[in-house]
Amino acid sequence: MAALLEPPPPFSNLHLSSSSSSISFHTQKPNFLRLQNNQSKPILLYLHSPPPLLLKPLYCSALSSGAIDPPQPKPPPIEDIPNPNPSGGERRDSISIPSSSSGSTTESRKKDRRKTVKLAWEKLVRWSRSWRNKNKTDVLQRTKKVVVLGGGSFGTAMAAHVANNKAEMEVTMLLRDPVVCLSINESHYNCKYFPEHKLPDNVIATTDAKTALDDADFCLHAVPVQFSSSFLEDISEHVNSSLPIISLSKGLELNTLRMMSQIIPQALGNPRQPFVALSGPSFALELMKKLPTAMVVASKDRKLASSVQQLLSSQHLRISTSSDVTGVEIAGALKNVLAIAAGIVEGMDLGNNSMAALVAQGCSEIRWLATKMGGKAATITGLSGSGDIMLTCFVNLSRNRTLGVRLGKGETLDDILSSMNQVAEGVSTAGAVIALAQKYNVKMPVLTAVARIIDNELTPQKAVLELMGLPQVEEV
């Protein structure tokens, strides 16, 4: 205890006493307590907190009578009290209980919290630098040519992205439309999909498969799923058996229920064709604008996945790797069907509660089917699952969501499709999803309802009533 060395203060005559001791309060400073007994000098104690229960009757009487003043909110620091009489007199000690609500303590906690956050961030940065140095490869330096199959919006955006990663690299787009081909080569614009975004000078276009595929180090496949098999069969003689195919296409083949990881090797006649699936929340327009984006590359060959990661990564595109090809592909295919359902809810103006319930249910259905097919549940909750689902279901740039909105407002599917210049993969995928659900014995009410609406077997209004009338079961 630290000594309080100021002249003895006057004490009130309100006190507790016995034959051997007495207790009394300071008249102006009720936090000071005077203890007196017959065997020692008086002791003066200082209390931060209210007096103990034993002393409260005396304390309250002193307050009500005006004999003492109310306690001070902030007591003076012990070290600031002068010591005019260090040699003797009444002994004064202090009992101090720290207050967690004091200004100094709050400020100290803020500093500690800021320090913790700063250290955590510095640790993350150090880990990132260490990882990059350890995993640094010369894939980009060694790559001289990349071919892109297809000249749609996403294929064009990825061609521009890869070309921007290395100016000395040739990026060749294999197209069927000679007008778009001419536009890219002469003015460096894709006149059909990106007439306002100039492409890098090292992006060129051709309609000749042999010219495009000769000496290519990597191939980006951006042809719609339903046309992929016939397209690849036509060019298979020019595809090197060791050429890695990076699939940008999402969906299921309608009649065969095949994923791109099955379509590509079979169409090329090479079961060992190196394959990588690229997926994740990404709109072509935002890639063209170089806005921050994150995606996933999935391959059973971890070394190949790492190589593609190095090829595609940039300051505005972050690439993660996965070995769960099935999970990534199923999530990428089924999210298009779910986006149509989300669009229907929006078009019918059913509100935010309905939208949240629908998307949550749809996510569960996708997870059920993916895991039955051998995919991982963690993939469905990750970037290529929930991340892609949220983007496609909630943002107006989504073709499938836009189609759903128009269906919800009463337009016919034929009218909608005839007015679109891009493919909405969810339309053809919906039927395949139901066939897969039956094959793997998975109940998928939301996605089944979408398939029935597309087949004109159910109106959106009737679908809502039927979904709301389903049995209410325990959530799993």
Side-chain angles (χ1 to χ4, degrees):
M1 299 185 193
L4 298 175
L5 302 174
E6 67 175 16
F11 287 85
S12 70
N13 57 1
L14 296 172
H15 60 273
L16 299 177
S17 63
S18 67
S19 57
S20 61
S21 62
S22 66
I23 303 173
S24 57
F25 290 99
H26 194 292
T27 55
Q28 277 84 38
K29 300 178 180 179
N31 294 76
F32 285 94
L33 187 69
R34 185 175 186 271
L35 304 179
Q36 175 71 56
N37 59 41
N38 298 333
Q39 281 74 37
S40 65
K41 295 180 181 180
I43 298 175
L44 185 63
L45 299 179
Y46 180 79
L47 302 175
H48 276 283
S49 58
L53 184 63
L54 177 65
L55 304 178
K56 281 195 174 182
L58 172 62
Y59 182 77
C60 293
S61 297
L63 281 174
S64 60
S65 66
I68 63 174
D69 293 331
Q72 301 298 316
K74 287 187 179 180
I78 300 300
E79 57 272 20
D80 293 340
I81 300 178
N83 183 4
N85 186 18
S87 59
E90 194 174 66
R91 190 171 88 247
R92 304 166 196 176
D93 297 323
S94 171
I95 300 175
S96 178
I97 304 174
S99 173
S100 62
S101 61
S102 66
S104 59
T105 304
T106 302
E107 186 62 30
S108 175
R109 287 181 176 176
K110 286 182 179 179
K111 289 181 179 178
D112 289 343
R113 186 166 59 248
R114 286 195 294 267
K115 184 177 179 181
T116 300
V117 173
K118 182 180 179 182
L119 289 174
W121 179 254
E122 289 175 350
K123 185 177 180 180
L124 180 64
V125 171
R126 287 196 300 270
W127 167 81
S128 175
R129 289 172 180 167
S130 172
W131 185 91
R132 289 180 185 279
N133 290 334
K134 193 186 303 181
N135 292 273
K136 207 168 188 179
T137 68
D138 59 349
V139 170
L140 195 60
Q141 286 73 21
R142 288 188 288 107
T143 301
K144 297 179 180 179
K145 182 179 180 180
V146 173
V147 60
V148 179
L149 307 181
S153 59
F154 203 76
T156 303
M158 286 303 299
H161 171 75
V162 173
N164 280 321
N165 276 359
K166 182 181 177 183
E168 300 81 15
M169 181 168 55
E170 177 186 328
V171 179
T172 303
M173 298 180 67
L174 177 59
L175 312 177
R176 285 187 171 180
D177 190 335
V179 175
V180 176
C181 185
L182 187 65
S183 173
I184 291 174
N185 290 332
E186 290 193 351
S187 62
H188 298 290
Y189 288 92
N190 185 323
C191 60
K192 188 174 181 180
Y193 295 105
F194 288 112
E196 298 179 357
H197 292 81
K198 189 173 182 179
L199 299 174
D201 292 341
N202 53 329
V203 174
I204 60 175
T206 181
T207 57
D208 181 66
K210 186 178 186 307
T211 302
L213 289 159
D214 275 353
D215 301 321
D217 298 301
F218 291 93
C219 174
L220 300 179
H221 180 280
V223 178
V225 173
Q226 307 309 320
F227 307 105
S228 291
S229 185
S230 58
F231 178 86
L232 290 170
E233 288 173 359
D234 289 343
I235 67 169
S236 59
E237 61 180 301
H238 306 297
V239 179
N240 191 296
S241 60
S242 61
L243 176 66
I245 309 292
I246 306 166
S247 175
L248 315 183
S249 307
K250 300 176 183 179
L252 298 169
E253 196 170 47
L254 183 57
N255 296 322
T256 65
L257 310 183
R258 294 184 299 174
M259 299 178 289
M260 291 305 303
S261 57
Q262 298 166 318
I263 293 171
I264 290 175
Q266 290 178 22
L268 295 176
N270 179 17
R272 296 187 177 182
Q273 190 77 42
F275 175 84
V276 178
L278 176 69
S279 189
S282 51
F283 285 137
L285 179 60
E286 296 189 0
L287 277 174
M288 289 294 285
K289 292 181 177 180
K290 299 182 180 180
L291 298 179
T293 302
M295 301 181 72
V296 174
V297 290
S299 178
K300 294 178 181 178
D301 184 340
R302 291 182 180 273
K303 186 176 180 181
L304 176 59
S306 178
S307 295
V308 175
Q309 179 187 50
Q310 299 298 325
L311 174 73
L312 301 182
S313 295
S314 71
Q315 289 184 340
H316 60 273
L317 179 57
R318 183 178 183 271
I319 300 289
S320 300
T321 61
S322 171
S323 60
D324 184 14
V325 177
T326 298
V328 168
E329 285 206 273
I330 288 297
L334 271 61
K335 59 96 180 180
N336 287 326
V337 184
L338 183 56
I340 294 176
I344 291 172
V345 169
E346 180 70 20
M348 295 177 67
D349 198 21
L350 297 181
N352 296 318
N353 293 351
S354 295
M355 180 68 77
L358 174 105
V359 174
Q361 171 66 24
C363 286
S364 295
E365 293 178 14
I366 293 172
R367 185 183 75 249
W368 297 335
L369 181 59
T371 52
K372 276 289 188 75
M373 294 179 66
K376 299 176 183 177
T379 301
I380 310 306
T381 60
L383 191 64
S384 60
S386 296
D388 209 0
I389 289 168
M390 286 189 288
L391 184 76
T392 314
C393 289
F394 300 142
V395 182
N396 290 330
L397 287 173
S398 166
R399 299 189 296 269
N400 293 282
R401 182 183 187 277
T402 300
L403 182 144
V405 170
R406 295 175 67 178
L407 283 174
K409 289 182 177 179
E411 294 187 54
T412 66
L413 181 62
D414 290 340
D415 289 343
I416 297 170
L417 293 178
S418 64
S419 67
M420 297 178 68
N421 68 341
Q422 297 186 70
V423 176
E425 287 283 5
V427 174
S428 53
T429 301
V433 167
I434 306 313
L436 277 177
Q438 292 175 348
K439 179 180 178 180
Y440 289 94
N441 193 26
V442 177
K443 291 181 174 64
M444 307 179 74
V446 167
L447 301 187
T448 301
V450 174
R452 295 192 68 197
I453 291 171
I454 288 173
D455 289 341
N456 289 320
E457 295 179 359
L458 203 63
T459 65
Q461 292 77 12
K462 182 79 172 183
V464 171
L465 291 176
E466 290 195 8
L467 287 173
M468 290 301 294
L470 290 174
Q472 300 178 56
V473 297
E474 182 180 355
E475 187 179 48
V476 292

